[in-house]
Amino acid sequence: MDQSQAPVLEALAAYHANPLTTFTPPGHKQGRGADPRTLAALGADVFRSDVLATGGLDDRTASRGILEHAQALMAEAVGADHTFFSTCGSSLSVKSAMLAVAGPHEKLLVGRDAHKSVVAGLVLAGIRPIWVDPQWDAQRHLAHPPSAASFRAAFAEHPDARGALVTSPTPYGTCADLPAVAEVCHAAGRPLIVDEAWGAHLPFHPRLPTWAMDAGADVCVTSVHKMGSALEQSSVFHLRGDLVDPAVLKQREDLLGTTSPSALVHAALDGWRRQMVQHGRALYDRALDLAGEVRARIAALDGMHVHGREDFCGDGLAADLDPLQVIVDISALGTTGYRAGDWLRSHHQLSLHLCDHRRISAQLTHADDATTADALLAGLSELVAAAADLRPAAAVHVPRPDRLRLEQVLLPRDAFFGPTEQVPIEKAAGRIAAEMLTPYPPGIPAALPGERLDEDVVEYLRSGRAAGMLVPDSADPALGSLRVTVEDGGR
């Protein structure tokens, strides 16, 4: 196929050259009805390009096949058999993939370090999760993706599981041994879904970790807005092989997705694919070289330890690492990542990626350059000098790995939709959670609907919230109370 084409962008340009007089949505009619103050803030071109996909860019019957052409170009660019665009983010894409593999009360092997969107998929579908434990670095209090051996053991115990789902890379940039995990799944005759939300760039440079399709995955979900050049909410999911029916996958996406997809999002996805095919290698040559320089400069600062492969990869840890996720342990400064991140934003207008109880991170992409790198280093240098003002920081109680692993008592769906009550957080231990409790970022739930809470996890959440942890999906934003199920006997 001609990868210099960008069908959605070209259709949008043609629409601008010969605009229609529309009596259809969107109601602003290419911005003519938009509030002038909104136009001033967003720009007229946003409204000018906000047109219907069907009946706008294409005709009523979509006879030109504009979106299908763009998706086929994307599939060829990355070596997939089929590609589907999503304008609802990978939160929708991963649910579509899950529902294409397993149905109500069927089992799915899921890495317990899954994103909250995966848990939402379990709740919506009534799928029975078989949790596969991550590989836990007890020294650094960090979870890496589960091993192939753990998935093999889970299939041995649950041969009726319909497939497996693993998150790789994690938001910390650590990667599973995907070829080995895919081999385990295929030996069982089951598909592998990879939540590769942080890996949109991986197909386009050999110095980056192996991407899911090349590793043998059956379905791969990626958020192009995270590490690519597309707009927020941009996602694609790719399919290869015959273990998942493409018609079923598309139907599941239709079930969950919007009937009003954004032409802006589709156009940005289309343009990003062309950019990567034509220039991705050179762009990531520069980005990876810059990342190496940034890592070395940060490591030279007092009190800052930059995590690399020597920390994150090896036996019992991750299989690979994306060097563009620059993870910095600042515990030697005597403060938390929460306080450091807030200070850098308020004093240096720097917005960091992850901030946890002991780390901060900077996500680099092909868009970064010497100017952004220098701004980051200037802020971090002053953070070192100002560290005394950020002490003492409230301590976060991080349980040992076996105490973080809660018992799954009920299906997530049954707990979420069943009778519930709010109880003070001090009385929550021993109760069954009826909500997700998700420190964010990275968005991995500490407790799920249907899990029995214990003292360690409750104290982790309570102390984390006091230290600055964000838990945005709790029914009580202050985390003074938790939502739990009403069990038999009134408890």
Side-chain angles (χ1 to χ4, degrees):
M1 300 178 71
D2 182 359
Q3 289 287 337
S4 69
Q5 294 181 321
V8 182
L9 283 169
E10 290 160 9
L12 195 55
Y15 185 94
H16 290 158
N18 189 27
L20 299 172
T21 300
T22 61
F23 299 94
T24 69
H28 59 72
K29 304 293 180 78
Q30 282 68 66
R32 295 192 303 275
D35 178 73
R37 295 163 296 182
T38 306
L39 282 172
L42 297 183
D45 284 344
V46 170
F47 290 93
R48 184 168 171 257
S49 296
D50 183 32
V51 300
L52 288 178
T54 301
L57 291 187
D58 210 334
D59 60 23
R60 177 180 61 83
T61 62
S63 64
R64 294 167 62 193
I66 293 167
L67 178 60
E68 288 75 14
H69 187 192
Q71 292 176 151
L73 284 165
M74 180 79 81
E76 183 186 77
V78 299
D81 294 339
H82 305 274
T83 291
F84 304 92
F85 288 3
S86 168
T87 64
C88 298
S90 288
S91 293
L92 178 137
S93 301
V94 76
K95 294 183 185 74
S96 303
M98 294 166 65
L99 269 64
V101 170
H105 300 286
E106 292 184 324
K107 296 177 182 176
L108 182 68
L109 307 186
V110 183
R112 182 55 184 82
D113 58 338
H115 187 264
K116 62 178 291 185
S117 59
V118 172
V119 180
L122 298 173
V123 169
L124 291 172
I127 294 170
R128 184 177 300 278
I130 304 301
W131 297 114
V132 183
D133 288 336
Q135 301 185 97
W136 180 257
D137 184 339
Q139 176 186 348
R140 299 178 180 89
H141 293 135
L142 194 66
H144 300 299
S147 67
S150 294
F151 278 103
R152 184 179 298 108
F155 270 120
E157 186 175 352
H158 300 276
D160 54 340
R162 304 300 299 167
L165 186 152
V166 65
T167 302
S168 179
T170 69
Y172 292 89
T174 64
C175 302
D177 185 352
L178 290 181
V181 176
E183 183 179 350
V184 167
C185 292
H186 296 160
R190 301 301 191 193
L192 171 63
I193 302 167
V194 179
D195 182 351
E196 201 173 62
W198 293 99
H201 56 311
L202 299 186
F204 300 106
H205 202 284
R207 287 162 56 193
L208 292 167
T210 302
W211 95 286
M213 292 282 98
D214 286 347
D218 299 275
V219 183
C220 167
V221 171
T222 188
S223 297
V224 182
H225 66 96
K226 284 186 168 69
M227 295 294 289
S229 302
L231 300 175
E232 282 293 306
Q233 297 183 213
S234 301
S235 173
V236 295
F237 47 111
H238 306 286
L239 173 64
R240 179 188 279 179
D242 57 5
L243 291 179
V244 178
D245 186 338
V248 170
L249 182 58
K250 182 63 172 67
Q251 285 185 329
R252 300 305 185 265
E253 193 278 334
D254 285 343
L255 180 70
L256 298 171
T258 178
T259 57
S260 304
S262 169
L264 288 164
V265 172
H266 283 169
L269 284 168
D270 199 23
W272 170 78
R273 181 268 315 158
R274 182 172 61 181
Q275 179 190 29
M276 288 296 102
V277 170
Q278 295 181 334
H279 308 295
R281 180 67 176 264
L283 288 170
Y284 278 100
D285 274 338
R286 292 195 292 272
L288 289 163
D289 289 345
L290 180 66
E293 296 170 11
V294 167
R295 287 171 164 272
R297 291 172 66 188
I298 297 174
L301 298 176
D302 290 339
M304 294 200 172
H305 175 76
V306 181
H307 288 299
R309 293 182 59 85
E310 66 281 0
D311 292 333
F312 284 174
C313 301
D315 292 340
L317 301 174
D320 207 347
L321 175 68
D322 180 358
L324 295 175
Q325 299 292 355
V326 182
I327 314 297
V328 185
D329 190 319
I330 61 165
S331 54
L333 296 180
T335 192
T336 62
Y338 309 126
R339 297 199 73 182
D342 292 343
W343 187 91
L344 287 164
R345 183 183 176 101
S346 63
H347 288 76
H348 282 270
Q349 291 72 54
L350 294 175
S351 179
L352 297 187
H353 174 207
L354 289 173
C355 301
D356 67 20
H357 64 288
R358 62 188 290 179
R359 284 169 289 260
I360 56 177
S361 80
Q363 167 197 319
L364 302 180
T365 74
H366 61 288
D368 284 291
D369 56 20
T371 299
T372 62
D374 287 346
L376 174 64
L377 267 295
L380 294 179
S381 297
E382 291 201 22
L383 174 66
V384 172
D389 297 333
L390 303 178
R391 298 194 287 259
V396 180
H397 169 74
V398 182
R400 65 180 192 266
D402 60 318
R403 298 301 297 171
L404 276 171
R405 186 68 165 86
L406 300 176
E407 176 192 9
Q408 187 81 46
V409 181
L410 300 174
L411 282 182
R413 181 185 182 93
D414 293 346
F416 189 86
F417 289 114
T420 66
E421 62 179 335
Q422 290 288 131
V423 299
I425 192 169
E426 296 83 5
K427 296 182 179 181
R431 302 297 300 272
I432 299 172
E435 62 180 340
M436 274 187 280
L437 297 166
T438 309
Y440 199 92
I444 299 166
L448 308 172
E451 289 186 335
R452 192 176 296 282
L453 298 163
D454 65 16
E455 292 283 2
D456 283 294
V457 168
V458 168
E459 179 59 17
Y460 167 58
L461 291 166
R462 190 206 62 77
S463 63
R465 180 69 177 81
M469 176 193 291
L470 180 64
V471 187
D473 49 8
S474 56
D476 176 1
L479 222 62
S481 63
L482 301 181
R483 179 162 291 180
V484 299
T485 64
V486 176
E487 301 176 54
D488 291 340
R491 179 197 162 190

